[in-house]
Amino acid sequence: MADQINNLPTDAAALEREYLIKRENFLPWEHHVPETRRQQPVYQEILRRNAGARSFGLNSFVSMDAHIYTDTFSIGENSYIAAGAIIRGDVAIGANSTVNPFSHIAGKISIGSGVRIAGLVSIYGFNHGFSRSDLPIYQQLLTSEGVVIGDGTWIGANAIIIDGVTVGANCIIAAGAVVTKDVPDYSIAGGNPARIIKNRKADVRVSATPTLEKSTRVRQLLYSEDPFIGLDAVHSIDLQGWDSKHTIFDEIISHVKPELIVEVGTWKGASAIHMAQICKRHGLQTEIVCIDTWLGNWQHWSRLAGVGSRDDLKIINGHPHLYYQFMSNVIHSGFTQTITPLSLTGVAGAKLFEHYGIRPEIIYIDGDHEYESVFFDLRLWLKQMAPNGVLIGDDYNWPGVRKAADELAMEENLYMKTHGQKFTLRRR
């Protein structure tokens, strides 16, 4: 033992520092060496220039001992990629997610928020074509459907997920599983090929937070009494709006057949009433929740008269009463049992829906036009959208809206399509 001690390097501090740097790269949720974190902005800039990196969330960490050879790449806040991991292709990682050492993520991959990917996991968002027997495999076209990993999912060590698979939210993929088919939300899957072993919700007896069952309307969850009770139509009908009857509404509603639509930014309710009419025509029992403060934005307050001005806000004693114009319009249109008002900002509404576990199939964002507001509305509501849902956005012609939509589509690896001033976002 004495000989071993005598043979130690004289610069023990340097050796310990080297150890701690390696430890932090393999265990990036630990913080031992400030220099490692200070190097991140420089390394992230290198990845922007050479690996198609689009965005790095606050406090995200990519080990310089990981192998990032991507075409496009994004990572959310508080997410980590540990040493030895191999990332290539088009990869988007949400917030609070971790990729552990020696995992291999390749191809078109969308990873949600709060995901845990254990060591030696392999996720492949591409495949080799093999339809022709007269050609060797390497001469045939690659195919790529992509892989989607839902929020809150844990993928165990040595698991393999192949191209075309969607793993839902809050799932557990057992160690060593080979996942060849979609896995529904809250499932535990294992084996080769993987099969559903059980549903995590089946063993839940009591929940501290009430959740929305399909038979329960949002109105029943939020209000002890109907918000339209005892309310008269104090204003004549005024369905002034902007592009409120766009064909995209009928196209998406007829395809999705939603049980719940959320509109963020309602104004006087013209779009909501139009969507209610479409749902009625298709025989759907859809609830439409309209989220707005009904206080207007700075542009409304800055206009002295005309459409979208202070006059529209119906200011009484310094306070807008636009809400009662909206409620009057709903009453006049006969949709008081379909349309539910919720007087919150878009961000607060998304947080409330997250609290209750409410996942709308269609979300229509038509609120502010400023980049920051639109970006946060889109990001939070996409998180709440049902797995196969569609988000419709308005005012793509506004620079702030366009910038927010384009950045988020790239960051989250979403399908985006424009329809004039409207746009749609879907998960891959």
Side-chain angles (χ1 to χ4, degrees), residues 370-371 374-376 378-379 382 391-418 421-425:
E370 303 299 324
Y371 163 76
V374 177
F375 187 85
F376 280 110
L378 290 175
R379 175 176 242 174
L382 277 166
L391 186 146
I392 306 170
D394 195 18
D395 299 314
Y396 188 72
N397 56 312
W398 285 73
V401 176
R402 185 184 304 113
K403 180 183 178 185
D406 290 350
E407 284 187 8
L408 198 63
M410 178 67 71
E411 179 179 320
E412 300 289 342
N413 195 24
L414 305 168
Y415 283 119
M416 180 175 176
K417 186 175 180 180
T418 57
Q421 294 184 14
K422 299 284 197 290
F423 62 92
T424 54
L425 293 172

Side-chain angles (χ1 to χ4, degrees), residues 130-153:
F130 54 88
S131 59
R132 295 182 59 178
S133 58
D134 61 324
L135 289 176
I137 295 294
Y138 77 91
Q139 290 182 355
Q140 301 192 46
L141 293 176
L142 287 174
T143 60
S144 179
E145 298 178 45
V147 173
V148 176
I149 309 297
D151 295 344
T153 284

